[in-house]
Amino acid sequence: AGKEPTTSGEGRERQANPAALGLVPRADPVDSGSHFAPLLGLTDPGFSDCPDLKMSRVTTALGGSVLTGRTMHCHLDAPANAISVCRDAAQVVVAGRSIFKIYAIEEEQFVEKLNLRVGRKPSLNLSCADVVWHQMDENLLATAATNGVVVTWNLGRPSRNKQDQLFTEHKRTVNKVCFHPTEAHVLLSGSQDGFMKCFDLRRKDSVSTFSGEATEAGQDGKPWEWVMTGWVPVLPVLSCCVLRLHPSFAHGRMQDAECGANGACEDTLCGCSLGPLCVTPFHSQSESVRDVQFSIRDYFTFASTFENGNVQLWDIRRPDRCERMFTAHNGPVFCCDWHPEDRGWLATGGRDKMVKVWDMTTHRAKEMHCVQTIASVARVKWRPECRHHLATCSMMVDHNIYVWDVRRPFVPAAMFEEHRDVTTGIAWRHPHDPSFLLSGSKDSSLCQHLFRDASQPVERANPEGLCYGLFGDLAFAAKESLVAAESGRKPYTGDRRHPIFFKRKLDPAEPFAGLASSALSVFETEPGGGAMRWFVDTAERYALAGRPLAELCDHNAKVARELGRNQVAQTWTMLRTIYCSPGLLPTANLSHSVGKGGSCGLQLMNSFNLKDMAPGLGSETRLDRSKGDARSDTVLLDSSATLITNEDNEETEGSDVPADYLLGDVEGEDDELYLLDPEHTHPEEPECVLPQEAFPLRHEIVDTPPGPEHLQDKADSPHVSGSEADVASLAPVDSSFSLLSVSHALYDSRLPPDFFSVLVRDMLHFYAEQGDVQMAVSVLIVLGERVRKDIDEQTQEHWYTSYIDLLQRFRLWNVSNEVVKLSTSRAVSCLNQASTTLHVNCSHCKRPMSSRGWVCDRCHRCASMCAVCHHVVKGLFVWCQGCSHGGHLQHIMKWLEGSSHCPAGCGHLCEYS
Amino acid sequence: TVDTSHEDMIHDAQMDYYGTRLATCSSDRSVKIFDVRNGGQILIADLRGHEGPVWQVAWAHPMYGNILASCSYDRKVIIWREENGTWEKSHEHAGHDSSVNSVCWAPHDYGLILACGSSDGAISLLTYTGEGQWEVKKINNAHTIGCNAVSWAPAVIPGSLIDQPSGQKPNYIKKFASGGCDNLIKLWKEEEDGQWKEEQKLEAHSDWVRDVAWAPSIGLPTSTIASCSQDGRVFIWTCDDASGNTWSPKLLHKFNDVVWHVSWSITANILAVSGGDNKVTLWKESVDGQWVCISDVNKGQGSVSASVTEGQQNEQ
C-alpha cells in the first residue's frame, strides 16, 4: 500500500469540498480485502491500489445495478437528524426538525428530488427524529416525530402530500422507527416514553406494545411489579394487546431522564422542544427506548436499547415479556445494529463511549469485542462485506465518523472528517458495497464518503519507535507483523549481543493480532556504533591536574590506549612531544607511549633516540651505525635498545608496557625502518651541529633521575634540545593519522612552542566536531595556559558546559565537579556556587533561621554575634569548634594573639590555626 | 523474553536522561515505564488516562523531578509526574482540535517548557509557571494539514560577540524545529516579546515530514538538524553562520520506504534512522563530510547485517 501522487484530481476535490477537514485522505486498504467482494463478484473499488482512481469516481457493479460516485457533499437548508437510503442505492432521504427531503445520489452531486415537507405551516408531525426507507418497497418511508407521532409516507401517491398513515400513539419523542426486513407491512417504533410499538401498516393502530419495563421471560425475582391497568383513557390502547404498566405510571411522576437538572437537553438527537411540555400525567418511570432493530436472523426477534444501559431482546409475538435482557452499557445505550452476516452479532453503542459487540446466539449474551471511542456513540452501522468493520458517529463533541475494526479496538481503521458539526445519521449506501457511506449532520450538510478517501489514523500512526539511549544503546519498537514476516525468511539465531528484551507473544489462534502488536527491543551497539562506555571509563580515569604535564599526558595516553582509542592516545603523546621538550625527557617514555598506534615513523624515531641515548654507545656508536651497517646488526642493536628502554622505563615511571610488545612491533617494520634510517641520519651529520650539541645534554638528563619538578621546569623550553632528529623522523608518522597539519609544522624545528598552539587549537576543534568534547576539554585543562589564549572564551565555555552536561548525564558527579573546579571560565566555575543552599540555625535556640534577617524569629535574639565586639557578623564568621564561640575573623585573630581564652569568657582555651 | 503487555502497536519508546528507564506508549492508550538498568526490565508504572492511541512520550530533565509527557490521538497532552514512587497525572492539556502527534521538552536551561505538535496544524507551548499552573502559547497554522514532529534546539547562548555580564542569567534564544504534512521543516524562534515567530522554512522533502531531530550541540559551532520523510529521504541540515539563517541540506540517503524516525546519539556524531522496512541504520559522518552507514540493525533477528566492522567481530 503505497502513497498516492498528488494529482490534479485531488486538487479539484479540495475545491469541491471546502468542508473537508484538511487531512489529505490516504486511501490504503486497512484490511486485506479478503473479506469482501467475491460474494457478488464485484470489483472492490475501495481497495484498488490504482493511484489514478484516487479521489475520482468509483464504480461498483452490484448485481446488475451500478454504483458510481465520489466523495461529495451538499448543503441542506436545515440540520439533519437522520438519513436513510433507498434500496436502489440511488436515493437518500434526509429528515430533521425542519427538513424532510429526498435527494438523488448522482455521480458528481446530490440532486434534490422531492420535498416531503408540504403545506404552509408544517405541523410538528414533520419534525423528524428518525426516518427509515423500506428495504423492499421503494415507495414506502416512515418517520418518527419529536411529538410522538409515527408517520408513513407513500411516494407512489399522486398528490403532492405523500403522507400515508399517522399513528399518534406515543406520548413523547419517537426515537426510532424500523421496518421489518422481510415483512412488508410491519413497522416498529421506539419512544422516549418507554414503549415500543409494532404497527401493521394495513391497520390504523399499533398491533402490539412492548414496554421497556418488561423483564426477561421466565425469570423470577423480577425487579418490577406488574399490574394490570386495563383501559387508560388517554392512551388509545389496542384491543388486541394487554398493556402492562408500572405502578408509578399512575402517579405521573415526572422524571425526565434525558433532560438534565439545568434544563438543557443533553440529548442532542432528541431535539425535544417539547421537553417539559410533553410530560403527561402518565409519564412513566420506564426507561426511554433509544433504538429498535429487527433481527435479520430471526423473523420474530427484535432488539431494543434503553437509557438505563439495558438491551432487550423481544419476540414480536410476545409483547408481555422480553425474551432476554442484559445490561450492555454504563449509561444510555443509544444505538444498536445487527450484523448483516454474522446474524447473531449485535453491536451496541452507548454514552459510555463504547461500542460493544455481542454474540446473541449463546444462552447469555456474550461480549465479543469492545471498542473505545472518544465520545458517546450515537449511531453504529456494520460495514457491508467487511466482517469486522463498523461505522460510528458521536452525539456530541466529536464530529467525525469512524470506521472501526472491532478486533483493533483502539485505533479507528478509517475516519471521515468532513462534517463541521455533530453527525446525526450514517448509512452505508448499498448493503453489499463497503465503499460508500452517506451521512447527515447538524451542520446542515449531506455527505457521501468514499472509503478510500478516508483518512486512516492507522496509516498515520507511527509503527516504529526509536530512541538513542545514553550509553549508545538503541531502543526500537516495531510492528510485529513485519517482524514475523522477516523471521520466517531468516530464522532467529539467538544472537546474544542484541537481545530482544521485549517481545509480545504472538497468538497463533488470531493472526490478526500480529498486525497490531509491536516488538520492542533494546540493542546494544558495538564500539563503532556509538556505545558510550569508553566515555565513562575515560572520564573516570583521566588525570587532569596535580601532576606534571608530561605525566598527565602519559597517563592519559595510557588510559586512552587501554580503551582501544589509539588516535586519542597518539594525540596525548604528541601533545607531550610538543609541550614537553622531548630532548629533556627520557625518550623511552615517548617511545612506549606511542604504543600500538605508532607507525613506522615513530618507531623510527624511537630507534633513533634509543641509539642516541644508549649508555656507553655515545656518538661513536651512532656514527658507526649511520654508516649504514648490515641489517642484522641494527636489529640486534635495536632490541638491545629496547631492553634499555624498558629498564629506563621502570626506573622513571614504572609504566608497565611489556617489552615484547614493543619489540614485536618494531620487528615487524624493521626493513622499512632501517632503510629509511641512513637516509635520515646521513644528511644530518655533516650539516647540523645541533645534534652534537644535544648529545651531552641528553646524557646529563638521562643520567639524573628525572624528577617531576625537573621535567616541569624544562617543559617550557622545548627547543633547547636538538629535536631535529625527532622531528625529521616524525614526518612519516603523520601519513597514518588525520592530524596532518601537525606533521608539516614539525618540519621546522626552530619554531617556538606558540607555533603549535594553532595546530592544537585545530585539533581540539576537530575532536569537538567528532563528538569527543571530552578530549577537547581534557586537553584544555591539562595544557592550561599554553593553549587557552588561542581559543576564544565562548568556545571554551561551550565545551566546558557540554562536557559537564554529559558528565552529569552519566552521573559522574565527581568528575564533573573536578572539571568545574579546574575550568578557568568564569561562567563555568560559578556553576559550583549555584544551587548550593546554606541552612542556618540560630546559635541560641538551635532552630532554623526562617527569615533572612539576623534576628531569630523564635528567640528574638541576634544570631551570630561577634564575641569580641558584640555586633552581628555579616561577613566571615569564625568560630571555635571547641566552645562554638566566635565572631569577626579579624577580631578573633586579634584577640587570640593576646589571649588563649575564649573571648566570650566561657573559659575554653581556644586555638586559632 | 518479556512481554511489554501492550495490547496494540507501540509508537514510541524513550529512555530517560540517565538511560535507566524506558517509557513506551502504544495504541492501547497506555504509557508504560520500565526500569532497564543492568539489562533488566521491570515494569514500574502503567499510566492510563488517554482515550486514544498514544503517539509519543518525552522525559523532562531530571532537575524538575520525574516528569513524563505523552500525547495522544485523543487530542490531549498529559504530563505525568512521579511523587513518592507513584506516577500520577499532573496536568492535562486539551487545547488541540485534532490528534497531538509530537511532544518535546525544551532544554532544561529554559525551565519546563513543552512543545506539542498537532494534526490541527498548530503547535502549542506549555510553560510551567509554578504551583501546578501551565501557561499556554499557541502557534496556529504552523503547518497546514498538520504537524508531525517537534524538536528543540540545544540551549546556546547567543551572540558570541556580546559579552555576558557575569552572574546575570544568560539571555537564551529559544528555538525549535517542526516538521509537518506540508512537506516543510520550520524553525521557530521566540521573539523578545515572548511571541513565537517562524524564522526559517526548510524545503527539500517531497512528502510529509515524519520526524525532525535537532542534534545536541556538543562543542560544535554548527547547528545540525536531521529530518526524515514519507518520501524515504533523510536530510541533514547544517547552518554554519552565527545568525542561523542559511541552512544547507545534505541528502543522507534515499530509502525505499517511509522513514519514521531519526535519533541522534548523545554526542551528535551518530544518527540512527528507522525506516518502514523495520530496520535501524546507524550513520556517521566521515572525515570528508560524507555520511556513511556504519551499522544495520535488523529488527526481527536482532542481528547486525551489512557492514560488520572489525570491532564488532572482536567483541564477540
Side-chain angles (χ1 to χ4, degrees):
Chain A
K3 52 192 189 54
E4 299 75 28
T6 313
T7 59
S8 56
E10 193 173 328
R12 231 181 17 247
E13 175 54 30
R14 290 252 83 86
Q15 284 181 334
N17 190 0
L21 237 186
L23 282 169
V24 175
R26 302 198 153 266
D28 295 275
V30 174
D31 217 323
S32 59
S34 58
H35 298 118
F36 6 94
L39 263 174
L40 287 163
L42 51 116
T43 59
D44 185 12
F47 293 93
S48 137
D49 260 346
C50 178
D52 298 336
L53 278 172
K54 165 81 178 150
M55 295 302 280
S56 59
R57 255 183 289 132
V58 166
T59 307
T60 312
L62 289 161
S65 69
V66 174
L67 275 189
T68 56
R70 60 188 189 94
T71 296
M72 58 186 178
H73 86 294
C74 86
H75 184 75
L76 309 170
D77 306 321
N81 272 347
I83 62 166
S84 187
V85 190
C86 177
R87 71 162 187 172
D88 65 3
Q91 294 174 87
V92 60
V93 59
V94 182
R97 279 175 70 187
S98 48
I99 182 171
F100 188 23
K101 284 180 178 173
I102 290 173
Y103 287 88
I105 309 163
E106 300 196 342
E107 280 187 20
E108 300 288 327
Q109 62 192 348
F110 291 104
V111 174
E112 187 180 323
K113 236 186 139 188
L114 187 63
N115 189 355
L116 291 155
R117 227 177 134 82
V118 289
R120 235 177 248 158
K121 204 180 160 200
S123 75
L124 279 173
N125 296 348
L126 283 163
S127 173
C128 303
D130 192 30
V131 65
V132 63
W133 205 315
H134 205 291
Q135 287 309 297
M136 295 170 68
D137 186 346
E138 288 174 21
N139 284 329
L140 198 55
L141 288 157
T143 57
T146 50
N147 63 350
V149 170
V150 174
V151 190
T152 58
W153 308 79
N154 186 354
L155 300 179
R157 280 170 77 111
S159 72
R160 230 181 120 224
N161 191 348
K162 309 286 186 191
Q163 187 174 324
D164 196 21
Q165 290 213 64
L166 194 81
F167 303 99
T168 50
E169 297 192 19
H170 286 292
K171 290 293 113 191
R172 299 187 57 200
T173 300
V174 177
N175 287 322
K176 200 75 192 176
V177 280
C178 174
F179 280 114
H180 195 277
T182 47
E183 195 58 55
H185 303 287
V186 177
L187 175 69
L188 189 67
S189 69
S191 160
Q192 200 71 21
D193 63 11
F195 296 101
M196 295 146 279
K197 287 176 189 287
C198 185
F199 302 97
D200 186 329
L201 300 183
R202 293 164 294 197
R203 302 171 61 145
K204 282 204 156 32
D205 299 320
S206 61
V207 178
S208 48
T209 300
F210 312 86
S211 168
E213 296 286 313
T215 48
E216 218 167 318
Q219 272 198 353
D220 291 320
K222 293 166 185 170
W224 304 99
E225 252 184 61
W226 293 86
V227 287
M228 291 286 288
T229 53
W231 291 97
V232 179
V234 187
L235 283 172
V237 179
L238 305 156
S239 53
C240 67
C241 162
V242 184
L243 182 64
R244 291 159 180 269
L245 292 171
H246 188 261
S248 65
F249 193 90
H251 305 151
R253 268 182 54 199
M254 172 186 163
Q255 186 170 13
D256 214 347
E258 84 275 29
C259 295
N262 54 3
C265 193
E266 190 186 7
D267 172 8
T268 54
L269 249 197
C270 137
C272 175
S273 66
L274 302 171
L277 293 176
C278 67
V279 179
T280 66
F282 300 99
H283 183 53
S284 85
Q285 247 187 341
S286 67
E287 288 298 333
S288 304
V289 182
R290 296 311 301 242
D291 201 356
V292 283
Q293 292 289 338
F294 274 111
S295 164
I296 299 157
R297 180 171 171 247
D298 299 315
Y299 184 88
F300 296 110
T301 308
F302 73 88
S304 57
T305 70
F306 296 85
E307 288 202 337
N308 63 357
N310 285 348
V311 171
Q312 292 179 350
L313 216 57
W314 290 84
D315 188 318
I316 197 97
R317 300 159 295 185
R318 295 286 305 272
D320 55 326
R321 50 171 58 166
C322 66
E323 294 290 309
R324 190 187 287 179
M325 180 169 86
F326 60 95
T327 303
H329 290 266
N330 191 4
V333 189
F334 291 131
C335 52
C336 66
D337 195 33
W338 290 94
H339 197 285
E341 292 155 38
D342 275 302
R343 302 278 163 106
W345 281 17
L346 180 73
T348 58
R351 194 170 65 188
D352 59 1
K353 305 179 184 178
M354 292 204 255
V355 176
K356 291 181 179 176
V357 178
W358 306 88
D359 185 353
M360 306 294 274
T361 53
T362 51
H363 178 63
R364 277 196 164 272
K366 188 177 148 206
E367 187 183 318
M368 306 290 290
H369 298 283
C370 177
V371 175
Q372 178 89 49
T373 72
I374 60 172
S376 58
V377 183
R379 305 273 192 217
V380 57
K381 287 271 181 265
W382 287 99
R383 185 169 175 219
E385 312 291 328
C386 299
R387 192 162 179 263
H388 291 103
H389 284 195
L390 48 81
T392 66
C393 65
S394 166
M395 193 159 269
M396 50 197 117
V397 189
D398 197 1
H399 309 156
N400 300 338
I401 303 163
Y402 301 95
V403 178
W404 303 85
D405 186 312
V406 292
R407 296 162 302 177
R408 184 120 190 242
F410 304 108
V411 204
M415 183 163 96
F416 301 102
E417 303 171 296
E418 276 82 1
H419 288 299
R420 291 260 151 247
D421 202 340
V422 172
T423 306
T424 48
I426 49 174
W428 293 95
R429 188 170 159 191
H430 191 278
H432 293 293
D433 181 275
S435 49
F436 294 93
L437 180 74
L438 298 161
S439 70
S441 159
K442 278 250 186 285
D443 67 1
S444 307
S445 71
L446 172 69
C447 273
Q448 174 170 273
H449 311 277
L450 241 66
F451 196 77
R452 59 157 31 168
D453 293 344
S455 84
Q456 302 194 351
V458 180
E459 283 300 309
R460 285 176 59 88
N462 208 332
E464 290 171 353
L466 176 68
C467 174
Y468 227 122
L470 187 60
F471 293 95
D473 35 2
L474 276 172
F476 181 50
K479 211 159 87 173
E480 194 135 280
S481 57
L482 292 164
V483 179
E486 276 176 23
S487 42
R489 198 182 60 215
K490 205 159 78 178
Y492 175 60
T493 48
D495 190 337
R496 263 183 303 146
R497 188 153 39 96
H498 304 285
I500 292 183
F501 274 9
F502 304 96
K503 192 165 184 338
R504 191 179 145 78
K505 289 181 207 89
L506 273 172
D507 185 2
E510 207 182 352
F512 182 79
L515 202 115
S517 67
S518 294
L520 172 63
S521 25
V522 176
F523 299 97
E524 286 164 10
T525 42
E526 52 297 318
M532 294 295 285
R533 187 51 63 185
W534 62 265
F535 179 90
V536 179
D537 288 344
T538 313
E540 279 171 346
R541 292 172 56 189
Y542 264 0
L544 299 177
R547 279 194 269 173
L549 176 65
E551 252 179 75
L552 292 177
C553 288
D554 286 342
H555 176 86
N556 293 345
K558 199 176 132 217
V559 169
R561 196 170 52 247
E562 279 169 18
L563 292 168
R565 303 172 71 218
N566 293 325
Q567 186 176 328
V568 174
Q570 192 59 46
T571 308
W572 283 112
T573 312
M574 289 197 167
L575 285 172
R576 191 202 140 118
T577 320
I578 293 167
Y579 287 98
C580 314
S581 163
L584 296 171
L585 298 166
T587 33
N589 276 345
L590 190 68
S591 65
H592 71 73
S593 52
V594 165
K596 202 180 171 184
S599 69
C600 59
L602 272 186
Q603 298 299 346
L604 179 65
M605 173 182 76
N606 181 9
S607 58
F608 224 87
N609 290 335
L610 288 169
K611 284 172 233 156
D612 289 348
M613 56 165 281
L617 285 175
S619 52
E620 298 95 340
T621 329
R622 189 173 175 274
L623 283 170
D624 282 352
R625 203 163 337 110
S626 61
K627 280 168 188 156
D629 287 352
R631 196 179 297 161
S632 57
D633 197 358
T634 52
V635 170
L636 193 77
L637 267 165
D638 188 66
S639 51
S640 67
T642 313
L643 280 170
I644 294 157
T645 317
N646 284 319
E647 280 164 27
D648 206 353
N649 184 19
E650 276 154 32
E651 277 169 35
T652 51
E653 286 219 355
S655 185
D656 50 3
V657 176
D660 56 337
Y661 176 72
L662 226 169
L663 201 66
D665 259 10
V666 173
E667 272 174 356
E669 277 150 346
D670 269 344
D671 299 21
E672 218 180 321
L673 276 180
Y674 291 100
L675 284 174
L676 283 167
D677 193 5
E679 285 170 30
H680 277 271
T681 43
H682 277 302
E684 268 169 27
E685 258 193 304
E687 281 171 24
C688 297
V689 200
L690 257 170
Q692 269 144 9
E693 276 177 8
F695 288 134
L697 233 175
R698 285 185 195 182
H699 278 284
E700 271 171 35
I701 293 156
V702 168
D703 290 342
T704 56
E709 300 88 355
H710 187 69
L711 291 169
Q712 187 71 348
D713 292 341
K714 303 278 176 173
D716 288 329
S717 53
H719 67 131
V720 173
S721 73
S723 53
E724 267 188 352
D726 296 330
V727 168
S729 58
L730 260 173
V733 171
D734 304 295
S735 56
S736 60
F737 294 99
S738 50
L739 296 164
L740 273 169
S741 48
V742 177
S743 66
H744 296 304
L746 283 168
Y747 278 116
D748 195 339
S749 62
R750 286 187 185 84
L751 283 168
D754 277 358
F755 181 83
F756 296 114
S757 60
V758 179
L759 303 168
V760 173
R761 188 196 66 198
D762 289 347
M763 176 201 76
L764 294 188
H765 277 288
F766 169 79
Y767 273 110
E769 271 175 46
Q770 291 294 302
D772 190 359
V773 75
Q774 181 177 50
M775 185 65 186
V777 172
S778 301
V779 170
L780 208 55
I781 292 172
V782 167
L783 294 183
E785 288 305 328
R786 296 177 189 86
V787 284
R788 198 166 290 142
K789 54 192 175 298
D790 298 304
I791 299 164
D792 70 286
E793 192 79 6
Q794 205 73 31
T795 315
Q796 283 190 41
E797 201 180 304
H798 189 182
W799 288 348
Y800 272 120
T801 46
S802 304
Y803 186 43
I804 290 164
D805 219 50
L806 275 181
L807 289 171
Q808 290 184 346
R809 275 198 88 157
F810 284 100
R811 306 189 185 204
L812 299 166
W813 312 113
N814 292 339
V815 184
S816 145
N817 201 44
E818 197 191 341
V819 171
V820 171
K821 224 164 71 188
L822 292 171
S823 78
T824 45
S825 162
R826 243 183 332 179
V828 175
S829 44
C830 76
L831 282 175
N832 257 8
Q833 282 140 40
S835 76
T836 304
T837 316
L838 276 177
H839 296 279
V840 187
N841 282 20
C842 172
S843 60
H844 300 292
C845 64
K846 311 280 188 293
R847 297 238 173 77
M849 298 275 285
S850 48
S851 63
R852 288 183 180 234
W854 300 100
V855 180
C856 175
D857 290 341
R858 295 172 203 272
C859 59
H860 302 288
R861 287 167 71 175
C862 284
S864 57
M865 300 276 276
C866 175
V868 180
C869 69
H870 298 284
H871 282 103
V872 172
V873 183
K874 291 184 178 171
L876 283 175
F877 185 90
V878 63
W879 74 97
C880 170
Q881 289 183 337
C883 66
S884 75
H885 290 113
H888 292 106
L889 178 62
Q890 291 90 346
H891 292 172
I892 298 290
M893 276 169 78
K894 208 170 173 190
W895 177 273
L896 289 174
E897 273 171 26
S899 164
S900 59
H901 286 275
C902 175
C906 68
H908 185 256
L909 284 168
C910 300
E911 206 176 311
Y912 180 83
S913 51
Chain B
T1 307
V2 173
D3 201 325
T4 51
S5 67
H6 275 301
E7 290 163 49
D8 207 311
M9 205 192 280
I10 297 167
H11 298 295
D12 197 20
Q14 289 293 324
M15 304 237 204
D16 74 348
Y17 187 79
Y18 297 123
T20 57
R21 283 178 297 187
L22 180 71
T24 59
C25 61
S26 156
S27 271
D28 67 6
R29 291 142 203 253
S30 69
V31 174
K32 293 188 183 192
I33 301 170
F34 297 89
D35 189 322
V36 290
R37 266 178 297 187
N38 309 321
Q41 57 278 316
I42 306 153
L43 180 69
I44 304 175
D46 183 356
L47 310 178
R48 292 186 185 262
H50 280 295
E51 293 175 316
V54 189
W55 297 138
Q56 212 172 63
V57 286
W59 290 94
H61 191 276
M63 72 182 276
Y64 301 105
N66 289 323
I67 297 176
L68 185 72
S70 61
C71 63
S72 161
Y73 180 72
D74 66 4
R75 305 159 190 198
K76 281 189 278 195
V77 174
I78 296 181
I79 293 162
W80 311 85
R81 180 190 279 272
E82 188 193 354
E83 211 91 60
N84 305 322
T86 50
W87 284 88
E88 262 163 37
K89 193 189 284 186
S90 108
H91 181 69
E92 191 173 294
H93 170 60
H96 285 285
D97 303 324
S98 190
S99 164
V100 185
N101 300 322
S102 183
V103 281
C104 184
W105 289 101
H108 64 89
D109 319 57
Y110 305 162
L112 267 184
I113 306 178
L114 184 70
C116 325
S118 162
S119 283
D120 63 7
I123 297 169
S124 58
L125 292 130
L126 310 182
T127 309
Y128 189 66
T129 53
E131 286 151 24
Q133 295 302 304
W134 295 81
E135 182 197 299
V136 182
K137 271 180 204 161
K138 201 163 172 185
I139 309 170
N140 283 312
N141 284 319
H143 289 275
T144 44
I145 318 180
C147 172
N148 291 330
V150 282
S151 177
W152 285 86
V156 178
I157 301 156
S160 51
L161 300 173
I162 308 159
D163 199 28
Q164 292 285 339
S166 69
Q168 198 182 312
K169 211 180 166 193
N171 191 21
Y172 292 108
I173 292 181
K174 298 173 194 152
K175 279 187 191 181
F176 69 87
S178 64
C181 304
D182 49 6
N183 310 347
L184 294 174
I185 295 147
K186 289 184 179 179
L187 305 185
W188 306 87
K189 183 178 162 186
E190 193 186 44
E191 300 285 289
E192 275 167 27
D193 59 357
Q195 292 307 303
W196 287 88
K197 209 183 137 203
E198 183 183 322
E199 190 191 36
Q200 279 283 308
K201 215 182 266 180
L202 309 183
E203 232 174 321
H205 288 294
S206 59
D207 206 333
W208 292 11
V209 178
R210 281 293 181 178
D211 199 7
V212 285
W214 204 310
S217 154
I218 298 296
L220 299 182
T222 53
S223 299
T224 310
I225 297 173
S227 67
C228 63
S229 159
Q230 196 89 15
D231 65 10
R233 290 189 289 177
V234 176
F235 279 103
I236 306 292
W237 303 82
T238 48
C239 169
D240 293 321
D241 67 340
S243 57
N245 288 328
T246 42
W247 289 82
S248 46
K250 179 166 212 156
L251 182 65
L252 178 115
H253 190 66
K254 166 101 170 68
F255 293 85
N256 294 326
D257 208 337
V258 184
V259 185
W260 294 101
H261 273 300
V262 281
S263 180
W264 288 101
S265 75
I266 177 163
T267 48
N269 53 352
I270 297 168
L271 182 73
V273 176
S274 80
D277 51 1
N278 266 13
K279 266 188 188 171
V280 182
T281 46
L282 299 179
W283 299 78
K284 192 171 184 171
E285 194 176 16
S286 62
V287 182
D288 57 349
Q290 293 301 313
W291 286 86
V292 284
C293 180
I294 56 167
S295 170
D296 197 346
V297 183
N298 194 325
K299 163 86 266 325
Q301 288 70 22
S303 63
V304 172
S305 54
S307 57
V308 178
T309 60
E310 195 188 8
Q312 289 171 313
Q313 283 162 347
N314 288 345
E315 200 186 37
Q316 294 204 319

